[in-house]
Amino acid sequence: MNHIKYMIIGAGGTGGALGFYLTVAGKDVTLIARGAHLDAIRENGLFLETGHGGFSVPAEACTMEEYSARVEKDAGECPDIIFVCVKGYSLDETVPFIRQTAGPNTIVIPLLNIYGTGKRLQALLPELTVTDGCIYIASEIKQPGCLLMSGDIFRVVFGLRKDTDSRTRTVSMPVLKLVEADLSDAGILPILSDQVERDTLRKFSFVSPMAAVGASYDVSASAMQPDGPLRQTFISLVEEVKALSDAMEIPLPEDIVSINLKIMDDLAPTATASMQRDIKKGHQSEVDGLVYEVVRLGNQYQVPMPVYGELADKLGF
């Protein structure tokens, strides 16, 4: 295989930016979108605005129903790679669509904030290969058809879990190597990880505490950057995730607190987590997967989670 057909479910801040970069690089990409955002992409292309300027690119985009009809008419339209870039609460509704459109050799790469998504999705799609993965980017929909990307970080981490059988690994790794090359061609930093459980948990150890503090106290990064009670709360949450990771035998770096404080201090002071923004708007949010699930895992592995428990209660657990 030297030509990969990509389908990206979700054309928001993460999936849209991923599709934009891959499209600019000349890759075969179809975005799954809906509503006014889809209409704007079809009419004017997908616009990406960064601190260096912005421009639009004609992007292939359609609804789930349209893509399913395309595959039903021609099995050759099945994607080789499906990137899943939806919010955690929308994950289950992607499963029937993936079943309808995937071919027998399609690989599914979820890029969500919630830890353990790949393993959960694999259980729902036992007939397919599902990796784990996460994405590092600060991007959101500014208006229909237009994405706003803050900063220059764009990194995609993906890989097969340790429980992947040898036959699947033999078949999948050459394809994942091609994905790695395509992402690199597109100017995205790819990390094809051989310890993807650890690497996705590492991202979660930052995103979850930041979202929990931000949403609980309605503050941005500026409140967690100087010394004070909210910075200490953030630190305590990271320490609780570290203790959980040790109990799960997926240990994070011993200096994970320092690593995450450096990330926090490098953020724009106005930065907030998408979970916090969704809660503030009264929208459905990822609070269950980003906060409540940590408390449940603490109970499962008998790891005390006093600060997570306090903030989970504050957020309605």
Side-chain angles (χ1 to χ4, degrees), residues 205-273:
S205 76
F206 175 82
V207 173
S208 171
M210 179 185 176
V213 174
S216 297
Y217 298 100
D218 191 20
V219 296
S220 66
S222 63
M224 291 173 264
Q225 289 168 336
D227 289 334
L230 293 185
R231 186 176 180 87
Q232 185 55 53
T233 299
F234 174 82
I235 290 171
S236 296
L237 294 174
V238 176
E239 290 173 339
E240 289 181 6
V241 175
K242 174 65 171 73
L244 180 61
S245 79
D246 291 340
M248 295 167 66
E249 298 184 351
I250 310 174
L252 293 169
E254 290 302 320
D255 61 343
I256 190 63
V257 170
S258 298
I259 291 169
N260 285 351
L261 286 175
K262 175 67 166 58
I263 295 171
M264 175 63 69
D265 293 343
D266 286 344
L267 289 178
T270 56
T272 56

Side-chain angles (χ1 to χ4, degrees), residues 180-224:
E180 180 183 38
D182 280 353
L183 290 171
S184 183
D185 286 347
I188 300 166
L189 175 61
I191 300 175
L192 180 50
S193 173
D194 59 0
Q195 297 189 61
V196 72
E197 294 97 334
R198 178 205 63 191
D199 292 341
T200 52
L201 184 57
R202 178 169 173 166
K203 184 196 175 183
F204 183 85
S205 76
F206 175 82
V207 173
S208 171
M210 179 185 176
V213 174
S216 297
Y217 298 100
D218 191 20
V219 296
S220 66
S222 63
M224 291 173 264

Side-chain angles (χ1 to χ4, degrees), residues 2-269:
N2 55 18
H3 171 86
I4 292 182
K5 185 184 293 292
Y6 293 95
M7 186 243 281
I8 301 175
I9 306 176
T14 57
L18 182 61
F20 181 94
Y21 273 64
L22 287 171
T23 298
V24 170
K27 309 306 177 183
D28 185 346
V29 184
T30 300
L31 287 163
I32 304 301
R34 60 188 176 186
H37 191 47
L38 173 59
D39 293 340
I41 294 171
R42 282 174 161 164
E43 184 174 350
N44 303 310
L46 181 60
F47 190 92
L48 182 71
E49 179 182 333
T50 72
H52 309 291
F55 64 95
S56 65
V57 60
E60 177 69 25
C62 65
T63 65
M64 287 185 178
E65 294 76 15
E66 289 167 339
Y67 199 96
S68 294
R70 184 191 303 179
V71 170
E72 186 176 355
K73 185 176 180 180
D74 179 2
E77 291 292 329
C78 289
D80 302 304
I81 297 292
I82 298 176
F83 282 114
V84 182
C85 301
V86 300
K87 295 291 181 69
Y89 51 78
S90 297
L91 186 67
D92 287 349
E93 67 188 58
T94 69
V95 172
F97 173 60
I98 292 172
R99 284 204 187 102
Q100 290 168 4
T101 55
N105 298 315
T106 297
I107 299 175
V108 181
I109 304 177
L111 299 175
L112 280 72
N113 284 328
I114 297 171
Y115 179 73
T117 299
K119 188 171 184 178
R120 176 184 166 198
L121 198 55
Q122 180 69 83
L124 296 171
L125 296 165
E127 69 278 15
L128 298 176
T129 298
V130 182
T131 74
D132 268 321
C134 64
I135 189 167
Y136 288 80
I137 187 174
S139 179
E140 60 184 302
I141 296 177
K142 182 177 181 180
Q143 61 190 49
C146 177
L147 305 175
L148 175 62
M149 181 175 168
S150 305
D152 298 321
I153 296 174
F154 197 171
R155 190 158 72 239
V156 173
V157 181
F158 61 106
L160 298 168
R161 292 179 302 283
K162 289 183 179 179
D163 61 2
T164 304
D165 64 76
S166 59
R167 179 186 177 280
T168 299
R169 192 173 293 275
T170 299
V171 171
S172 300
M173 280 305 296
V175 182
L176 294 178
K177 285 283 189 182
L178 293 174
V179 174
E180 180 183 38
D182 280 353
L183 290 171
S184 183
D185 286 347
I188 300 166
L189 175 61
I191 300 175
L192 180 50
S193 173
D194 59 0
Q195 297 189 61
V196 72
E197 294 97 334
R198 178 205 63 191
D199 292 341
T200 52
L201 184 57
R202 178 169 173 166
K203 184 196 175 183
F204 183 85
S205 76
F206 175 82
V207 173
S208 171
M210 179 185 176
V213 174
S216 297
Y217 298 100
D218 191 20
V219 296
S220 66
S222 63
M224 291 173 264
Q225 289 168 336
D227 289 334
L230 293 185
R231 186 176 180 87
Q232 185 55 53
T233 299
F234 174 82
I235 290 171
S236 296
L237 294 174
V238 176
E239 290 173 339
E240 289 181 6
V241 175
K242 174 65 171 73
L244 180 61
S245 79
D246 291 340
M248 295 167 66
E249 298 184 351
I250 310 174
L252 293 169
E254 290 302 320
D255 61 343
I256 190 63
V257 170
S258 298
I259 291 169
N260 285 351
L261 286 175
K262 175 67 166 58
I263 295 171
M264 175 63 69
D265 293 343
D266 286 344
L267 289 178

Side-chain angles (χ1 to χ4, degrees), residues 243-302:
L244 180 61
S245 79
D246 291 340
M248 295 167 66
E249 298 184 351
I250 310 174
L252 293 169
E254 290 302 320
D255 61 343
I256 190 63
V257 170
S258 298
I259 291 169
N260 285 351
L261 286 175
K262 175 67 166 58
I263 295 171
M264 175 63 69
D265 293 343
D266 286 344
L267 289 178
T270 56
T272 56
S274 61
M275 183 194 91
Q276 176 184 350
R277 297 193 296 271
D278 286 338
I279 290 175
K280 194 164 186 177
K281 292 174 184 175
H283 296 170
Q284 193 170 7
S285 79
E286 293 183 305
V287 66
D288 186 84
L290 284 175
V291 183
Y292 304 163
E293 179 64 11
V294 183
V295 178
R296 290 191 288 262
L297 286 171
N299 291 332
Q300 179 182 340
Y301 286 92
Q302 298 183 317

